[in-house]
Structures are given as structure tokens and as C-alpha cells.
Amino acid sequence: MFDNTAEHYNEARSKARREYNRRKARGLSGHLTSLEGIIKDIDIMSTIDIGEMEIPLKKIKGTNSSFRRMSFSKNFLPLEDSKTEFASKWIALCGAHLEEGIRDSIKVYEYMNYFYVIEGNKRVSVLKYFDADAIHARILRLIPKYDENDEDVKLYYRFVEFNKLTGLNQIWLSDINDYDELEEALEKYTPDSSFYDSKYKAFYHEVYLPFRRVFKEAGGDKLDYTTGDALVLYSRIYDLPKSLSVAETKQLMPSLISELMNFDLEVSRDIKTSSEELSANLLESISGIIGPKKRKIAFIYAKHIEESGWSYSHELGRITIQEKFGTSIETKSFENIRDDEQLKELIDHLVLEGYHAVFTTAMIHRKVTLSAALKYRKVHFFNCSGSRPFVHMSSYYGRSYETRFLTGMIAGAMTKSNILGYTASVKTPDTMSCINAFALGAKMVNPNAVVKVSFTGVWNSPEDNEKKIKILATEGADLISSKNNILSREATRSYGITSMLCTIDSETKSLSSYLAAPIWRWEVFYTKIIQAIMNGSYDRIIKGKSKQVINFWWGIESGGIDVYMNDIVPSETRKLVNILRHMIISDQFNPFSGPIKDQMGEIRVEEGEVLAEEAIIEMDWYVSNVKILDL
């Protein structure tokens, strides 16, 4: 038995008294939290014995007993006088811990993913004093009654589902949707060893625990995010490894934490909704151009320029800015880059060749572009997508829902069946906002218009898209917003159009003629972004004290996007569309102005209100006159 155990008790009691007095001075309770006090008014549906396992001490938040709580301060250290029986038992446990470690398990209730001690309070107190990491415990889980209106309860129920699937009790996520993402990543995870009886246990020991140690060493415990939150972000950038390299992760972790700290929508995203705003703020020091005389800039396309209107539209933008900037920049485009490994090799090569900026122009490039941005911090990386930007990688896109709203107006005015079709590849927030805007535009001019939507489920498949067109035609659609796979490429050659509002032949169930389409003028985006890079103002924003995360998200007012209308569209309809177009440009009207109801009849946007920019970028619901065929 160690002689200084009594000294440890006195030191622990001193810390307890300081914590107690500090909280009392602030008008708070200084004693330990008790579960009995927490759940006295809670409807507990069931108690489940989930067995014995190791639990982190930091997740033990209190004791079960209201009486026992009086012996401990809020930080689980002892308050009792050193001459009491309580103190003698604590000192004995302290000696046992110093000699051979505390081996006996404790018994706890788990409630809302925190633990409250039934048996073993002093063991927990001793280990908390010595700043231990974990203890073995038998766990009884208390399940509260489900409440749709309680976000904490909903998140807990989702955690329980994850726990049942994986057997992992240690991973807690702050966002309910992240569990789906982690489960999807774990489904693809294949361990290197058969030592563990499940791949989830292999993941926990070979990936999660090493990641946890690195995250904690880098200060992750001081953040308002969990290790699980950080790991989900990691999985968005990299595929989960069979086993984690601690050395590589240590190099990556500071950048990963900076991304995590800026992940809150309220503080991380600087949405540049106006090109004029960019001109005023980013181009303020145009006379102070510094650095290399010539900037090398790469543009990467997922498909061939000749076969893809999307790639072609970006190529038109590249050619225009090359002519505009002349010898001050050197641009080069790379087409048909779809495979992740192919993209990684290309970016590595571009960095070696001294490129200063890389623009990847497809959503499928996003993950590799972000991982490269964390690796090569002196190069500017941009991804063309309507999703969330990152600290190390900005995004750029147009408010395409504005143009979809206008094409929806044309469709609503010209349909004879009141059934409109819409084909899309995969469900993303941008896709959903475009579908909703199209439906709202149709409904504005035709209250009876219904939009039926069919997803191909793959990023790009002309064959699947044509099949979906025929299905929608069979459903009664006489007009359809669809990929431009069959029709004349007249407009594509001028603008790089990738999708059109088309008529459907009632007999062949195929596209017959186009009416209108959203168009892109990427040179507007590229001109202003590249100028900001050249004069150094872009660096000052993303690398300054605020480290702003930038999303270039411009609308029709910028000239970067617009609507192309064929002469087939009746003149009265054209006039009406142009009136709304000018109202959008002058900020007199927003397609997502209330009242707007979703498919369940719930009001999503109140009358007199406009949906927030962040809510549009993260949209995950459909308006009332949308019907999804692929359930």
C-alpha cells in the first residue's frame, strides 16, 4: 500500500471544494448530477441490459442516487471530510489502483448516451482523479419515450439503431444524418485481419481508437464536436482505411480540425450571392498584384468536351478568360477524367508542374479535390458544385433554381395534361431545390400542375435517362425537363446546355422538340475568381484570422446563368417569364417566397418570408405538387 494515498485524497478533496465553490458562486449546484433528478418527470419506456463493456470515463456524468450525489462535487471528486468512513474507503481504493489497478467493474445506467453510476461511485472518483480514460461497466440502458418534437430524443434513437447494427456503443454523432453516412462508409469497410469477430470491432480497434488518440492529442477534446463527428468528416475526404496510419493522420489532423471547427453553417460559410459583392470585397487591391507574373490554371472535366454540354460550357469559359487575361495566365484543360485514381495522379502531376489553381468541374471530383486541397495547401482548389465549401477548398455554382423556376413557368403555361416530367441523376440538395423551383414555377401559372420526378440513380447515363423519359411519358407527362441526349445541339454549341425543357411525342414517348433551357456562362465566374487570386485578396480572406469558407453562388443578376427560350414558346408566356426574370434580377421576387408547403402539407416557408440561403443549399424536402416515382 502506498503511503501517500491520504495526500491524494486531500488533494482530490481540495479540487472538489474549488469546483463546488466556483459553481456555487455562479448560482449553480456544486454537487454531482443524479439520474433520479433528471428522469423524475421522464417517461421511460424500457430498461435493456446491454452487458458489460469498457466505457469512457468522460461520459460518466453522475450517479444514480440523489443521496449519493452529496458526497461528490460536480467533477466527481470527494467532498467528505478526511476522517470519515467514506474517505477511508476512497483512500483504500486509491492504494489498490496505484498497486495493481482497479479491476472490478462498476454498474451504470445509460441514459441518452451518458452514464450514471449505480454501483462503484468511489472507483469512478479515484479514476477521474487520476485522469484515467476508461473503466469496465455493466450497462443498463434506459429508453425514453419517443418524441418527434424532441431533437435530442430523436438523435438518441438513431444512436440506438446504430448501436444495434454495429455493436459499437462508443461512437456518438452530433448530427442525426451523419449516422447514415457512417453506416454507408462502414458497409464498404473491409478489415485486413480476421482476428476480430466482426468488421465493426475491427473498425473500432484498427481505425476509430487510433483516430481518437490522434484527435485527442491535437486538442479535439476541447472542441464541441465528438471524435465520431471528426471521423465522419475524415470519411468524406478519404475512404476508410483497413487500419489507420497514425503518422499520416497526425500530419492531417490540424487541417481536419480546422475544417471541423468551421463546419457550423452559421459561422463557416461566406456565401457570395452577388458578383458585385465579390468585385467590391475581393478586388479592392487590384493594383497590388504580387507573386508570379504568370499564373498556371488547370480545368478538369469529367467527360469529353465534344460529347458533354456541361464540359463544353466550362471549356468556353476557359477559352474566354485565356483571351481576356492574355499572357498573365496559362490555362489548360483535361477532359474525360472520371476515375478517382486518375484524378489523383493528374492533380499530383499538376502540382509538380507548378500550377497555382485547379478547377474541378463535377460533383464526382469533389472528394479527391478536397483531399488534394488538404495535401497541397499552396495551391488553390475549387470544385463546381452547389454543396458545402471547405476551409481548404471553395465551391462555385449558380443559383440554378432561379432558371428552373422560369422553365417551370413555361411548362405550367404550355402543358395540356397538367402532368410535367422531370428526370434527374441522383438526389442532392441542388437537384432537390431545382425540382422544387420548377414545380413552384409551374404552380404559379397553373395551380393544377403536378411534377412527376424519376431518378436514374447514377451520375451520368444517357440510356437510363431515355428509359425514364418513356416512363414519365407513360405517366401522362406531355412536357419534361430532361438531359439533352437526343435533340439538336444548336443551343449547346452556343452555351453548353446540358438539360432542356422539351415536348414529348405522344406516340413514340420520346422527346420531340425543345422549348427552353438553363444556360451557363462560366467566364463570368472564372474572370472574377481568377482576378481575386492574382491580386492576392482571395488569399487574405481564406488565410486571414477569420479563415472564411467561401461558396461562390451567383444568380441570374451576375450574368453567369440565364434562360434560353425557343421561338416555339408563345409570346405571352415569354413576356411573363421575362417579367419574373427581371424581378428576380432586381431582388423584387424570390422563387422560394412563402407560403410554401411540403408534400406532407407542412408549411416550410411562412407567408411573407423567404427561405434562407443555407436552407436552399441544404434542401432535403419536396414541395406539395411534386410526386417522386422512385420510392
Side-chain angles (χ1 to χ4, degrees), residues 186-238:
L186 286 173
E187 188 175 343
K188 300 174 184 176
Y189 173 74
T190 52
D192 222 1
S193 167
S194 58
F195 175 78
Y196 304 97
D197 57 12
S198 79
K199 71 174 185 177
Y200 300 114
K201 284 187 178 179
F203 162 77
Y204 177 71
H205 288 281
E206 299 296 328
V207 178
Y208 178 82
L209 285 181
F211 185 90
R212 164 71 185 149
R213 286 194 294 271
V214 176
F215 182 62
K216 184 178 178 182
E217 288 172 5
D221 275 355
K222 297 181 176 67
L223 303 178
D224 291 331
Y225 298 93
T226 69
T227 303
D229 294 336
L231 190 59
V232 168
L233 179 58
Y234 175 92
S235 72
R236 288 176 184 152
I237 306 170
Y238 307 96

Side-chain angles (χ1 to χ4, degrees), residues 408-409 411-413 415 417-420 438-452 624-626:
M409 287 179 62
T415 180
S417 67
N418 291 330
I419 299 175
L420 305 172
F438 182 83
L440 290 170
K443 190 174 184 179
M444 172 179 278
V445 299
N446 182 351
N448 298 316
V450 174
V451 178
K452 294 188 177 182
S624 58
N625 61 325
V626 169

